[in-house]
Amino acid sequence: MITINIIGFGNVATHLISHINTLEDYTIQAIYSRSKNTTQNLPIVNDINKLRSADITLISVTDDAIAELSARLPYQNSLIAHTSGTVSIDEITHERRGVFYPLQTFSKQKEVDFSEIPLCLEATNSKDYALLENLALKLTKKVYSISSLQRKKIHITAVFVCNFVNHLFTIGKDIADENDIPFEIFMPLIQETVNKIKTLDPAQAQTGPAIRNDFLTIEQHLLQISNNNYKNIYKLLSNSIIQHGKKL
Amino acid sequence: MITINIIGFGNVATHLISHINTLEDYTIQAIYSRSKNTTQNLPIVNDINKLRSADITLISVTDDAIAELSARLPYQNSLIAHTSGTVSIDEITHERRGVFYPLQTFSKQKEVDFSEIPLCLEATNSKDYALLENLALKLTKKVYSISSLQRKKIHITAVFVCNFVNHLFTIGKDIADENDIPFEIFMPLIQETVNKIKTLDPAQAQTGPAIRNDFLTIEQHLLQISNNNYKNIYKLLSNSIIQHGKKL
């Protein structure tokens, strides 16, 4: 039986706990939370000094608390891994350190299908990597070896394909609302935009006035956008599509 | 039996033909195509002057050919509707005119579930609107009455939520490729970004460094983006998210 300590009880920790709890060969030895007590049958510990060493310790707290909490763990010589997308593996002060990063946006209320979530792993030696990989493969089919540098780039990419994409949805909804157009009308189009890149390179899937060099439509659109921010975004993204198209 | 003429044989026309062909109370009387002959059992007409009047004529050609083709139709006094997202209803010269616009990106090779595609309708009188609506409701559950002005705004919105979103996917793939990160790793995140706005307002679903006013992370990201276009897009979209967040 492999023992696991979980440090933290936030969104990611909550999802990890509920899924690890279902695994046969793993047991959650302790969950460290300063403030929480649950009525569920979970081994919560409020004093970090009372934690005993476990085979794997997963630190799942806010980015800026990882270094401090790893330093305060009252044991050495076991594997300590954090679950952050941005923090370097070296912020963990222990010799045996790792990263166990699920690439997904979590909300506490919303159930996720963990088996579809990519887990990005890193460790300082191959034995510890195998320890993380064995656990990861019990949770998901999608396990990747990702260096700290790659993880930084993943975070930047996620800002483009998730955070910025969502902001374009926000802009779309603003324009739709202004013109009494129900936003739901765009959902099939949005879903198809995603479906296309499952089989096509996004650059190949590009449609719209910019990739056609249809400057007349672009000019007409710009005249009709009243919000200056949105107008600038329209210009910059159209130019970028045109530039990118020239390289194809 | 309601008769339909289809003018054009492009992507949208092809999908309309194959779906209308399955309807009991409708018959495709003629398909006008200058150049095409198919081996399938379709009533193709190559000379526009040989077309006979039908209850509904759907003009499904490129935007700049709509006005000319509607003027060249050899009959009057029946309903003529185009399928374009951008062209005004008034580019059709006939008195009984309409719009029958499916809001989706079509590829000829790819089957689409037509019943999920929103159809945006417009007509100059209520009787003709009903004629279009009856046909639309046989094809899809999602039928909307949309004015020419609203349709223009829909097109602008679609550029933001489809064309520009796809370009962000392109940028993401560029960064991923540069760093040997398999782009498939982002697909669950991208799908969840879309799933969230099925139940949440996009502004409420916003996550990432900008909405948290996490300027440190934004600065670090900007330092790591080498492409100047992408750097400018990162800045402008982050600022827009920050501005928008202040209004909430």
Side-chain angles (χ1 to χ4, degrees), chain A residues 129-195:
Chain A
Y129 185 86
L131 209 53
L132 292 179
E133 193 182 32
N134 287 339
L135 172 60
L137 287 169
K138 300 265 182 188
L139 297 171
T140 177
K141 293 168 283 188
K142 297 172 177 172
V143 177
Y144 297 87
S145 168
I146 296 287
S147 70
S148 283
L149 179 64
Q150 282 177 315
R151 208 153 22 81
K152 275 188 188 169
K153 303 291 188 176
I154 284 178
H155 195 227
I156 294 173
T157 307
V159 170
F160 279 95
V161 303
C162 167
N163 303 152
F164 289 168
V165 162
N166 184 75
H167 188 56
L168 293 181
F169 295 155
T170 304
I171 295 173
K173 179 148 197 305
D174 278 356
I175 299 173
D177 285 353
E178 256 174 41
N179 295 284
D180 292 320
I181 300 158
F183 188 63
E184 58 173 40
I185 206 173
F186 298 100
M187 289 311 298
L189 184 67
I190 288 170
Q191 187 56 57
E192 180 67 12
T193 305
V194 171
N195 290 351

Side-chain angles (χ1 to χ4, degrees), chain B residues 113-119 136-144:
Chain B
D113 180 358
F114 214 100
S115 67
E116 292 298 322
I117 294 178
L119 274 168
L137 287 169
K138 301 266 181 185
L139 297 170
T140 177
K141 293 169 284 191
K142 297 171 176 171
V143 177
Y144 298 87

